[in-house]
Amino acid sequence: MRHFLFTCAILFSFNSFASHLLGGNITWECAGNGQYIFTLDLYKDCSASAATFGPTQQISGPNGTMTLNLVSINDMSIACYNNSNGCGSVSPVGTELWTFKSSTPVTLTGTPPPAGWDFTYSSCCHAASVNNGANLNVYLRSRMYNSGTGCYSSPYFISNPSQPITGYNRSISTMAHSPQASDSLYYRFAPSLIATNTPAPYTAGFSYQSPFPNPNTNAANGPVSINGQNGLISVDVQAGTTGLYYYTTVVEQWRGTTLVSEIFRDASTGVLLSTPANNAPIVALDTTLYPQVNRNGNVYTMDALPGDTLSFNIVANDQDFSMSSSSFQQITFSAQGYALDTTWGGTNNFVNKATFTPVGPQTGFVTQLKNEVRFNWIVGNEHINGASARYVFNMRFVDDHCPAVGVSNSILQVNIKPAARIANDTVGVCLGDSITLTGTTASGNYSWTPTNTLIGGNTANPTVYTSTSGFYYLEDPSNPGFKDSVYVRVSPKGFFNLLFTNGQLTVTDSVQTTTRVWYYNSIPFNYTYDTLTPFGLGDYYVVAKSGVCQYTSDTVSITAGMSFSVTAPNIGVIKGHLP
């Protein structure tokens, strides 16, 4: 492990290094049967003067305190290879990741309330920062909600928190993964806390939503923003104080329309504006074959279908010279993303994984002047989760200009749409009735099966006539092999009628209808009972519903023996329609 101390001590001499915490986060893994393995990640100043953590740490939860054991220590610093002092980071100090885990699964009893369960960690103190001040307590938290689906694992951050900001480095990745591929992740800034529900103070011009130099601190700066779908923070810092900045982000884990967790991460990054200028690598994606790719700043967005092969080059150019020699800077490529292969830490079980490979004659991922890699991904049905799926890839090019390393983050966001999609997974129809299905395909061509009970099997909206329940399938003839299905459930029709016996109108109902509306001379009215004494001459009938089935009784006509009244006070309220 190498640490760069000399240059950093000059740049950040205001920091006495008495405080050593640079942030952290709390996550968990489902071990089955309501048991969880909890993880506490702590980011630490790795300078020689910083204190070390003990072998155990404690976090608090709904069932009390949990003890976690140290399992690893890793250097998270961005290295500068051309400096004789061995630069370990462009932050105020090098950054180490200390990881603590529960040695045995923890059983959580009960069910999270609507406000969720909080898991917290508290310690003093985080390193002095420009936007927060010095000697503030560190208070980490994550929140587990009731997912309705039992035990599940939380997302975990995969992006390196040790990322510098300069006048040329204008983005920070906060990307996370979810072990469940069907989850959706959304990102936002959150207040840093020093205790329960106690936000950390911010110096003038800063806030938790603008934790870095911004127009409120100097009009020369651009705004601070975070992309909610991929977690990329964008900044434009042209004027400000060189030093450490503290900030908090949260990733929301959604399962369909249910929020199941919020994982907060406190982190620190250095802003370096008093060093010699260094351009970040200039990055471009060759999307000539993909006109559907949209670009917004450093974010590229595209739609894809199962069966598509995505293949294009990403190239970074950097013609700056190294500070310590007359040679060009080294450019290093790295990547993050759930669907990637194991080279980049992919944790998926997909058969077809996304890959990055060097473009010849380049043989590796570290070069001078130009670094070019090819992205390749064969998209299949395995990558579809429900109606669609979103996959995010962070592509990073880093030079070795110490201490102001040039970093370029680019995001590729692929939205996968099914080649064939039916609007519903299950539909109901009453025996004897028909139902219309609704589908979409990529090509606009349709092939529905089975055809023996269908009319319009080559259209988007065929009609089904069937007396038995079963599956129907939609395939796009232009993309064979990719299908969606719908289950048509047929409900048997019982007996429902209106009879006139012994001077009484009586409903006979073998299907236990749940909604009824009586009609007198075609005028609807509410009446909740099965038996009605006619209140006037004319026609009576009843319309009722049970599930997907609607029933209309025979009409009973009373032509003699009654007074001519239109309604009576005890009948109820006139109603305009059947619910």
Side-chain angles (χ1 to χ4, degrees):
M1 183 183 299
R2 301 186 305 167
H3 306 303
F4 174 57
L5 304 176
F6 176 75
T7 304
C8 293
I10 294 175
L11 290 172
F12 300 95
S13 59
F14 64 85
N15 187 349
S16 67
F17 301 135
S19 302
H20 55 272
L21 262 175
L22 302 176
N25 56 258
I26 300 169
T27 58
W28 59 84
E29 305 167 55
C30 173
N33 300 319
Q35 294 187 312
Y36 299 84
I37 300 293
F38 281 86
T39 298
L40 171 67
D41 288 332
L42 295 178
Y43 305 117
K44 191 187 80 68
D45 167 356
C46 62
S47 68
S49 60
T52 60
F53 298 122
T56 63
Q57 296 291 324
Q58 291 185 326
I59 63 173
S60 298
N63 300 140
T65 301
M66 295 173 279
T67 298
L68 280 59
N69 300 308
L70 179 64
V71 294
S72 63
I73 303 174
N74 292 292
D75 190 348
M76 301 293 289
S77 307
I78 297 178
C80 298
Y81 301 108
N82 288 347
N83 188 283
S84 60
N85 295 298
C87 175
S89 175
V90 294
S91 299
V93 289
T95 303
E96 285 180 344
L97 169 60
W98 288 55
T99 299
F100 300 81
K101 286 194 174 186
S102 45
S103 56
T104 58
V106 176
T107 301
L108 299 179
T109 58
T111 302
W117 279 337
D118 279 357
F119 301 91
T120 62
Y121 170 85
S122 182
S123 180
C124 184
C125 302
H126 79 62
S129 61
V130 175
N131 57 346
N132 283 129
N135 298 320
L136 293 178
N137 195 47
V138 172
Y139 186 86
L140 308 178
R141 79 277 194 195
S142 287
R143 186 165 298 142
M144 177 189 293
Y145 293 97
N146 182 6
S147 68
T149 57
C151 184
Y152 64 93
S153 298
S154 73
Y156 56 94
F157 287 97
I158 60 171
S159 55
N160 187 342
S162 179
Q163 302 178 65
I165 294 174
T166 70
Y168 302 92
N169 295 348
R170 301 182 181 181
S171 62
I172 302 174
S173 174
T174 63
M175 183 180 290
H177 278 171
S178 173
Q180 294 83 208
S182 58
D183 289 343
S184 297
L185 302 182
Y186 295 93
Y187 303 81
R188 55 184 170 83
F189 285 118
S192 303
L193 300 185
I194 57 176
T196 305
N197 298 323
T198 306
Y202 284 88
T203 52
F206 296 98
S207 67
Y208 78 88
Q209 293 173 314
S210 293
F212 310 114
N214 61 81
N216 291 327
T217 60
N218 192 298
N221 298 320
V224 179
S225 64
I226 185 170
N227 189 305
Q229 292 191 330
N230 53 57
L232 188 69
I233 297 175
S234 296
V235 299
D236 184 2
V237 178
Q238 301 302 317
T241 301
T242 290
L244 182 73
Y245 288 75
Y246 201 66
Y247 66 102
T248 299
T249 57
V250 56
V251 57
E252 301 175 356
Q253 178 186 20
W254 288 81
R255 191 154 300 154
T257 58
T258 302
L259 177 63
V260 295
S261 79
E262 293 176 298
I263 306 301
F264 296 80
R265 181 171 78 166
D266 287 25
S268 304
T269 194
V271 173
L272 298 96
L273 296 176
S274 58
T275 57
N278 176 41
N279 294 306
I282 299 173
V283 180
L285 272 68
D286 179 7
T287 57
T288 306
L289 299 178
Y290 303 92
Q292 72 273 33
V293 174
N294 296 313
R295 180 180 181 180
N296 183 9
N298 294 326
V299 178
Y300 296 81
T301 305
M302 66 179 301
D303 293 338
L305 298 170
D308 286 351
T309 298
L310 308 183
S311 184
F312 45 79
N313 291 358
I314 305 98
V315 59
N317 290 283
D318 193 336
Q319 299 185 13
D320 291 342
F321 285 93
S322 170
M323 287 187 64
S324 59
S325 69
S326 59
S327 61
F328 291 107
Q329 296 172 5
Q330 296 282 343
I331 310 170
T332 301
F333 171 80
S334 61
Q336 300 161 324
Y338 176 76
L340 285 172
D341 63 6
T342 54
T343 302
W344 309 109
T347 57
N348 60 79
N349 294 317
F350 297 140
V351 174
N352 291 309
K353 305 175 190 292
T355 62
F356 287 101
T357 54
V359 175
Q362 182 177 317
T363 58
F365 295 100
V366 182
T367 66
Q368 292 179 321
L369 287 176
K370 184 177 79 170
N371 193 322
E372 187 171 8
V373 297
R374 177 176 290 276
F375 174 80
N376 192 81
W377 191 24
I378 301 174
V379 178
N381 264 0
E382 61 175 333
H383 303 118
I384 289 286
N385 304 309
S388 61
R390 182 177 72 235
Y391 292 89
V392 178
F393 304 90
N394 183 64
M395 300 162 292
R396 177 182 295 175
F397 292 90
V398 181
D399 66 29
D400 59 351
H401 181 95
C402 190
V405 171
V407 181
S408 294
N409 288 292
S410 296
I411 295 289
L412 173 63
Q413 182 174 307
V414 181
N415 304 311
I416 302 177
K417 307 295 184 182
R421 175 68 182 166
I422 302 174
N424 303 97
D425 293 328
T426 303
V427 294
V429 63
C430 195
L431 182 65
D433 293 340
S434 62
I435 188 170
T436 299
L437 304 178
T438 300
T440 57
T441 63
S443 69
N445 299 314
Y446 300 86
S447 176
W448 294 85
T449 54
T451 59
N452 58 320
T453 53
L454 283 170
I455 293 179
N458 60 349
T459 67
N461 306 111
T463 301
V464 175
Y465 295 89
T466 182
S467 59
T468 58
S469 301
F471 280 98
Y472 287 80
Y473 301 91
L474 171 62
E475 184 175 19
D476 184 348
S478 301
N479 294 278
F482 300 101
K483 294 183 178 181
D484 196 15
S485 65
V486 58
Y487 187 75
V488 176
R489 180 177 289 111
V490 179
S491 299
K493 204 162 189 174
F495 182 80
F496 180 86
N497 208 357
L498 181 66
L499 302 176
F500 183 53
T501 307
N502 298 325
Q504 298 287 307
L505 292 166
T506 302
V507 169
T508 57
D509 183 356
S510 70
V511 289
Q512 298 179 341
T513 55
T514 55
T515 304
R516 295 180 190 168
V517 176
W518 289 68
Y519 286 80
Y520 171 64
N521 290 335
S522 299
I523 299 175
F525 60 91
N526 280 336
Y527 186 68
T528 58
Y529 302 103
D530 290 340
T531 301
L532 171 69
T533 300
F535 47 80
L537 300 181
D539 296 333
Y540 296 82
Y541 65 92
V542 181
V543 178
K545 284 185 177 179
S546 176
V548 296
C549 297
Q550 178 167 304
Y551 302 85
T552 302
S553 72
D554 291 340
T555 299
V556 175
S557 298
I558 308 298
T559 59
M562 296 291 172
S563 60
F564 287 89
S565 61
V566 175
T567 186
N570 64 336
I571 293 303
V573 180
I574 297 296
K575 192 174 179 74
H577 65 277
L578 180 69

